[in-house]
Amino acid sequence: MLVLVVAITFSSELTASTNPIEKAEPASITETVGELLKNPDFQLDKEVNAMVAIFINQNDEIVVLSVDTDNKSVEKYIKSRLNYQKISKTASGDTKSFKIPVKMTKSN
């Protein structure tokens, strides 16, 4: 019993002293957009496709120019999640405007 208590004590001590792994920064604008659009707060009956036109301003923020889709809730969601979100220089590079296809799948 004493050995079990000592083993549990040392294993929890070792786990608590580890350094957390830093999350890698997205390498491209499409990865950045994908991360920002994760976990929507609404349900979809069917798959929805959209073409999103964005511009990166001088402050390295995304500005949504247009969202080409028939689903108004998806359009509103994309605009609210992306507009004025700061991105890294490495994700955007030198290009300032992008057209990104977005596919939102049916909710389970």
Side-chain angles (χ1 to χ4, degrees):
M1 184 67 125
L2 182 61
V3 173
L4 183 59
V5 171
V6 171
I8 291 172
T9 303
F10 282 118
S11 67
S12 63
E13 181 68 30
L14 292 174
T15 308
S17 65
T18 60
N19 292 332
I21 298 171
E22 289 185 28
K23 186 176 178 186
E25 197 171 283
S28 70
I29 193 72
T30 53
E31 288 177 7
T32 303
V33 169
E35 286 293 317
L36 291 170
L37 293 178
K38 276 188 175 177
N39 304 321
D41 54 354
F42 58 91
Q43 302 288 318
L44 290 174
D45 300 342
K46 61 181 181 174
E47 184 177 280
V48 177
N49 293 311
M51 184 59 74
V52 182
I54 62 171
F55 179 79
I56 309 301
N57 67 15
Q58 67 273 11
N59 297 325
D60 296 320
E61 297 170 331
I62 298 173
V63 177
V64 177
L65 300 175
S66 67
V67 179
D68 185 19
T69 185
D70 295 332
N71 190 314
K72 293 295 180 188
S73 61
V74 169
E75 179 181 357
K76 183 179 174 183
Y77 172 75
I78 290 172
K79 286 180 179 179
S80 69
R81 282 284 184 103
L82 295 182
N83 257 333
Y84 301 104
Q85 292 296 317
K86 197 110 168 125
I87 63 164
S88 69
K89 282 265 192 211
T90 57
S92 68
D94 293 333
T95 308
K96 292 294 183 185
S97 61
F98 300 88
K99 283 196 172 189
I100 302 167
V102 173
K103 180 192 289 187
M104 299 189 82
T105 57
K106 178 181 171 181
S107 304
N108 291 331

